């Protein structure tokens, strides 16, 4: 047994060594890692929704599942076409600058400032800036202005709700709200922003946007906003941290911009397959296993790299689905219930692929007994604890505990519900459909070396080009999780009874059988 100090040093050495040399898989992860590499290589250019890289990745998934004995279960063979609408902000065709008496300062869209893509953005902006503060003032002085405020993370230590309680949001005539990002939290705001694009399902009726324009500002450029105002960014942060009032004052410059957006219609495919069960009655029910194939594609460069490979978000867990199918085929094992494989598109654009599937399932929703979704997993330290999302909502959570116990895996509910992870991956749409579902996160003890590794991963790699196959990972942890996942799916598929919602679950559909 390692003493705490030795354990910390061991983890630190592991991380440092893996940072210098690409992690080599062990025997248990060699085949799985081959799939991870194939799905997250630079040649697929990040598998963005609707891209050629995504199409090639989907083709690879179909080929591998087919070889493993999985049968197509889409609307057109393996595929389910998901029709989409996209609005893309063209940073390369847009300009933005701060204008003062002394001259202008050019800013870079997506590096210094960003704006969400939407169809009715104005073609030009030319407006004064005013820092909102917390002391209030006449609403009339905000009219026609862009209101600047500190982000919620920056003011959280002072207990201030996003600077001034969002008073300007309701003030008439405010042109925009420019929020300077904070720098803390588990998932700190990321700069540069990869790109600005909004996707919706094609049949979504999007009401016209109203209210002030939402703008974000990179805190590393915030000093430029306050130049000549008599105040500094650091001064305002210090006041907020000390729980002191923040003044309202006009800034010495205005914001001037030209904006270009492009709207288009497109489609991208979900990949759907089934491995039939061997029981003549139970095989009419399905345990759904899911992961998302799409990534962030090509975006703004970070450290000279523009390809957002998405190795652990989520190529690695599409690879786990393939690996499980291959292992079942190699073992000759046939499960009672059928296994339904769902590899979704457009998860990163708002869970759109799984939302479309939930509205247009290719098997009756009553026949889907459970969903085990793979996302949000990072095998970057030893697996001793698994956070299980929706753990207490259904008997699937009981099965999770039963499978994990002999493997030495401690199961815990979500310790950070404020991050809203339950609603941020594809299991959520199954729960909305009335199907019991779970998702997983590698867990850790508070203030442990594992927590430090986890938080550093989010700081440096989450939704960035650094989430690639060159990053450090733990082969034993990956193998242990993949084995756990396979055993869990087998337990759900072979159980005498289908999973049930727990009494009192807010997600149980009306009239559902509970236990």
């Amino acid at each position: 047994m390692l003493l705490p100090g030795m354990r910390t040093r061991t983890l630190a050495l592991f991380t440092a060594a893996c940072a210098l040399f690409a992690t080599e898989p062990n025997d248990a992860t060699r085949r799985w890692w081959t799939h991870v590499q194939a799905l997250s290589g630079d040649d697929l250019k990040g598998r963005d929704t609707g891209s050629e890289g995504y199409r090639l990745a989907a083709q690879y998934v179909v080929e591998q599942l087919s070889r493993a004995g999985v049968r197509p279960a889409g609307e057109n063979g393996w595929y389910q076409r998901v029709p989409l609408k996209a609005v893309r902000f063209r940073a390369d065709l847009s300009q933005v600058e701060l204008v003062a008496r002394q001259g202008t300062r050019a800013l870079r869209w997506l590096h210094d400032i960003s704006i969400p893509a939407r169809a009715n953005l104005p073609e030009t902006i030319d407006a004064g800036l005013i820092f909102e503060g917390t002391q209030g003032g006449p609403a009339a002085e905000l009219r026609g202005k862009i209101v600047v405020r500190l982000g919620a993370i920056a003011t959280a230590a002072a207990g201030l709700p996003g600077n001034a309680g969002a008073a300007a949001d309701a003030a008439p005539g405010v042109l925009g709200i420019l929020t300077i990002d904070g720098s803390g939290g588990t998932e700190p705001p990321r700069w540069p922003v990869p790109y600005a694009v909004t996707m919706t399902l094609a049949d979504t009726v999007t009401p016209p946007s109203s209210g002030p324009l939402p703008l974000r500002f990179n805190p590393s450029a915030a000093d430029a906003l306050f130049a000549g105002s008599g105040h500094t960014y650091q001064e305002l942060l210090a006041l907020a941290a000390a729980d002191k009032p923040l003044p309202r004052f006009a800034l010495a410059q205005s914001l001037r911009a030209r904006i270009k957006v492009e709207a288009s219609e497109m489609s991208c495919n979900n990949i759907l397959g089934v491995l039939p069960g061997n029981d003549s009655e139970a095989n009419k029910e399905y345990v759904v296993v899911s992961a998302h194939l799409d990534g962030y594609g090509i975006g703004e460069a970070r450290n000279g790299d523009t390809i957002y490979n998405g190795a652990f978000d989520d190529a690695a867990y599409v690879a786990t689905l393939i690996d499980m199918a291959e292992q079942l085929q190699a073992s000759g094992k046939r499960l009672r219930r059928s296994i339904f494989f769902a590899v979704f598109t457009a998860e990163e654009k708002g869970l759109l692929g799984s939302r479309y599937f939930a509205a247009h399932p290719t098997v009756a929703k009553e026949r889907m007994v459970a969903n085990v979704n793979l996302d949000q997993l990072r095998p970057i330290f030893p697996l001793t604890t698994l956070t299980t999302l929706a753990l207490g909502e259904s008997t699937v959570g009981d099965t999770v505990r039963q499978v994990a116990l002999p493997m030495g895996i401690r199961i815990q509910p979500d310790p950070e519900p404020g991050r809203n992870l339950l609603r941020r991956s594809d299991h959520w749409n199954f729960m909305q459909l009335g199907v019991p579902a779970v998702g997983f996160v590698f867990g850790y003890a508070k203030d442990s070396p594992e927590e430090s590794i986890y938080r550093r991963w989010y700081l440096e790699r989450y939704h960035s080009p650094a989430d690639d196959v060159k990053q450090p990972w733990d082969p034993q942890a990956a193998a242990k999780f993949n084995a756990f996942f396979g055993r869990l799916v087998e337990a759900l598929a072979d159980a005498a009874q289908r999973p049930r919602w727990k009494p009192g679950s807010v997600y149980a559909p009306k009239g559902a059988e509970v236990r």
Side-chain angles (χ1 to χ4, degrees), residues 87-90 115-121 196-199 261-262:
V87 177
R88 184 175 295 273
F89 169 67
R90 292 293 304 272
I115 191 168
R118 63 191 198 194
N120 65 340
L121 287 177
V197 60
T198 300
M199 285 190 185
V261 296
E262 293 178 348

Side-chain angles (χ1 to χ4, degrees), residues 190-441:
R190 182 62 52 79
W191 293 91
V193 178
Y195 49 62
V197 60
T198 300
M199 285 190 185
T200 58
L201 296 176
D203 59 359
T204 301
V205 177
T206 305
S209 300
S210 59
L213 292 170
L215 296 147
R216 286 176 53 206
F217 207 83
N218 187 339
S220 68
D223 287 339
L225 283 174
F226 298 101
S229 69
H231 299 274
T232 68
Y233 177 52
Q234 291 301 320
E235 168 204 344
L236 298 168
L237 285 179
L239 288 173
D243 198 12
K244 294 182 178 179
L246 300 178
R248 175 185 288 188
F249 57 90
L251 276 67
Q253 52 247 311
S254 60
L255 186 78
R256 188 162 64 194
R258 296 178 62 84
I259 294 174
K260 174 70 174 178
V261 296
E262 293 178 348
S264 62
E265 295 185 358
M266 58 187 296
S267 67
C268 197
N269 290 321
N270 290 330
I271 304 162
L272 307 174
V274 65
L275 196 60
N278 68 353
D279 185 289
S280 59
E281 287 301 316
N283 68 4
K284 297 171 186 174
E285 296 181 332
Y286 303 89
V287 176
V288 182
V289 293
S290 58
H292 73 87
L293 183 59
D294 63 301
Y296 263 56
I298 300 293
E300 293 295 304
R302 295 194 68 200
N303 298 319
D305 192 351
T306 61
I307 301 176
Y308 289 64
N309 304 80
F312 288 127
D313 188 15
D314 194 31
Y317 293 99
V318 175
T320 295
L321 301 188
I322 296 170
D323 188 66
M324 183 187 70
E326 291 173 332
Q327 294 203 38
L328 285 171
Q329 182 187 52
S331 70
K333 203 177 290 184
R334 295 286 302 280
L335 309 179
R336 291 183 67 242
R337 292 185 176 85
S338 299
I339 309 300
F340 193 95
F341 291 77
V343 178
F344 291 121
T345 188
E347 190 272 352
E348 300 289 8
K349 302 300 189 293
L351 316 185
L352 299 182
S354 59
R355 188 189 307 174
Y356 187 85
F357 175 79
H360 306 88
T362 59
V363 295
K365 66 177 182 179
E366 296 81 9
R367 297 285 184 179
M368 292 186 276
V369 302
N371 168 237
V372 182
N373 184 55
L374 303 184
D375 189 15
Q376 303 169 329
L377 287 151
R378 325 290 179 212
I380 52 178
F381 49 75
L383 174 56
T384 59
T385 301
L386 266 182
T387 295
T388 303
L389 306 176
L391 175 63
E393 302 297 335
S394 74
T395 59
V396 176
D398 300 336
T399 306
V400 167
R401 291 186 188 277
Q402 291 163 9
V403 171
L405 182 62
M407 298 184 71
I409 301 173
R410 184 177 72 90
I411 299 300
Q412 68 176 11
D414 185 3
E416 297 180 293
R419 291 173 64 193
N420 210 17
L421 294 178
L422 182 64
R423 296 170 181 256
R424 287 172 51 188
S425 193
D426 292 315
H427 50 253
W428 176 247
N429 284 324
F430 283 94
M431 294 175 70
Q432 299 305 289
L433 200 60
V435 177
V438 290
F440 303 103
V441 181

Side-chain angles (χ1 to χ4, degrees), residues 5 175 286 500:
L175 180 64
Y286 303 89
R500 294 187 176 93

